[in-house]
Amino acid sequence: MSKRSWQDITGVTHSTPSPLSLFVDSSVNPPPPTMAPRPPLSENRSMSILNKALAGGYAVPAMCCYNIESIIATVKAAEAARSPAMVLLFPWAIQYAGDALVKAAAEAAHSASVPVSLHLDHCQTPELVRRAADIPDAFDSIMCDMSHYEKEENLKLTAELVQYCHERGIAAEAEPGRIEGGEDGVAETADLEGLLTTPEEAEEFVATGIDMLAPAFGNVHGEYGPRGIQLEYDRLDAINKKVGDRVRLVLHGADPFDEEIFRKCMAGGVTKVNINKGMNNHYAWTQEKMRGKPLTSVIEKGTEAMQVAIERYMHWLGSAGKA
């Protein structure tokens, strides 16, 4: 580029490109590189993982991650057990750290030596769904959770958001009915009454174009309380018979479940199992046990503890060795 003299507002003469030229000369400010398009929905990473699980008769652990340690633990567990997996973030991750944690999670998941996808769970506003869907090369799937709205508004918003996600190659999950309870990192819904899903409601939500469906059949976010675990397996079976050939079924509220309960849920068509405290409590316990130890040691031991817990779920769900 040839240089020419120009004067700033003080009258000083400069022999450098003029400020205007910085905007018009592509050799100084080249246009941003064209972003490689996402794979089409037919090649979506989350759906590929779950479709293979359905065909193989197993389920995939979807780990609710709040920090880089839990993300790394999930990827390491998947590679060690040769299992597919899903890293789940909540909208809190974006509100807390902007795109930083999302991009770190995407890099860790998508560079794994086994299939690992990145999913945004319980995204509860249309604005945030769109915000997340527009982060380049990040989420493979997003839960468009409008379950805090009345059913008709839930259906309307879900259909709009599913289309928005699909246009960007992102698979979409929704929650017909309302799963009782609340979860850390999710806008408070614990005071809302739980509404069990019917097969007819499941059909209505499938009509919105969703790829994953999270039914409410007695499962609870957070603590199950004094009544204990009371799942309606017949309801799950009926939902699976109604729509299980068109969407993958997702289990929320699975933290206190044992292998026997998981097997019953998988028999009802579940292929994605969300795990939160069953992993993250191990990190918290390690921090307590190692109080006063070097921080790097605490981080490493906490990551190892979570990895061990995740691998156990992989064996319970039958995904170990399937990658």
Side-chain angles (χ1 to χ4, degrees), residues 276-320:
N276 191 327
K277 292 180 180 178
M279 170 186 67
N280 289 298
N281 278 353
H282 292 275
Y283 190 71
W285 293 335
T286 301
Q287 288 181 311
E288 287 296 319
K289 288 189 294 184
M290 296 186 66
R291 187 179 298 276
K293 300 291 185 181
L295 182 58
T296 50
S297 297
V298 176
I299 289 172
E300 290 172 358
K301 289 296 183 183
T303 304
E304 290 173 8
M306 287 189 288
Q307 178 180 340
V308 170
I310 298 165
E311 288 186 44
R312 181 174 66 248
Y313 284 113
M314 290 169 170
H315 287 282
W316 282 359
L317 298 176
S319 65

Side-chain angles (χ1 to χ4, degrees), residues 24-252:
V24 298
D25 193 315
S26 62
S27 67
V28 176
N29 265 334
T34 302
M35 186 68 66
R38 287 177 184 270
L41 197 62
S42 61
E43 300 174 19
N44 179 271
R45 189 184 299 254
S46 289
M47 295 313 299
S48 174
I49 288 171
L50 296 180
N51 289 338
K52 288 177 181 176
L54 181 67
Y58 58 91
V60 174
M63 311 308 300
C64 299
C65 298
Y66 296 93
N67 55 20
I68 194 67
E69 291 88 349
S70 50
I71 294 165
I72 292 172
T74 301
V75 172
K76 285 188 172 183
E79 292 181 330
R82 307 310 298 170
S83 169
M86 298 177 71
V87 170
L88 269 58
L89 298 179
F90 290 119
W92 171 86
I94 298 174
Q95 295 161 347
Y96 171 70
D99 293 357
L101 191 57
V102 173
K103 290 180 177 179
E107 169 64 22
H110 297 163
S111 63
S113 62
V114 294
V116 180
S117 70
L118 179 61
H119 176 87
L120 182 62
D121 207 37
H122 288 292
C123 199
Q124 294 175 298
T125 70
E127 296 77 17
L128 198 51
V129 170
R130 295 186 182 98
R131 160 87 168 82
D134 287 337
I135 300 174
D137 301 317
F139 292 107
D140 301 293
S141 48
I142 296 175
M143 183 184 185
C144 306
D145 181 7
M146 304 293 117
S147 63
H148 45 292
Y149 290 94
E150 294 301 323
K151 188 177 82 169
E152 292 308 314
E153 185 68 6
N154 185 350
L155 284 165
K156 175 179 176 293
L157 290 173
T158 299
E160 293 172 359
L161 295 170
V162 168
Q163 181 179 352
Y164 195 88
C165 289
H166 282 181
E167 289 170 351
R168 288 151 181 80
I170 299 170
E173 177 182 335
E175 181 178 310
R178 185 181 299 123
I179 298 172
E180 187 177 337
E183 197 161 12
D184 189 15
V186 181
E188 189 54 59
T189 56
D191 292 338
L192 296 178
E193 180 184 0
L195 301 171
L196 297 182
T197 306
T198 66
E200 293 72 28
E201 285 175 324
E203 183 67 63
E204 290 177 310
F205 274 83
V206 170
T208 68
I210 59 171
D211 309 283
M212 292 170 270
L213 183 144
F217 62 104
N219 43 328
V220 173
H221 287 130
E223 302 298 329
Y224 274 77
R227 75 180 184 186
I229 300 168
Q230 297 183 17
L231 302 181
E232 297 186 16
Y233 296 108
D234 289 345
R235 182 182 296 273
L236 177 62
D237 288 339
I239 293 168
N240 185 37
K241 288 175 182 176
K242 188 76 170 177
V243 302
D245 60 332
R246 287 166 287 159
V247 292
R248 302 290 76 83
L249 299 186
V250 180
L251 175 62
H252 287 239

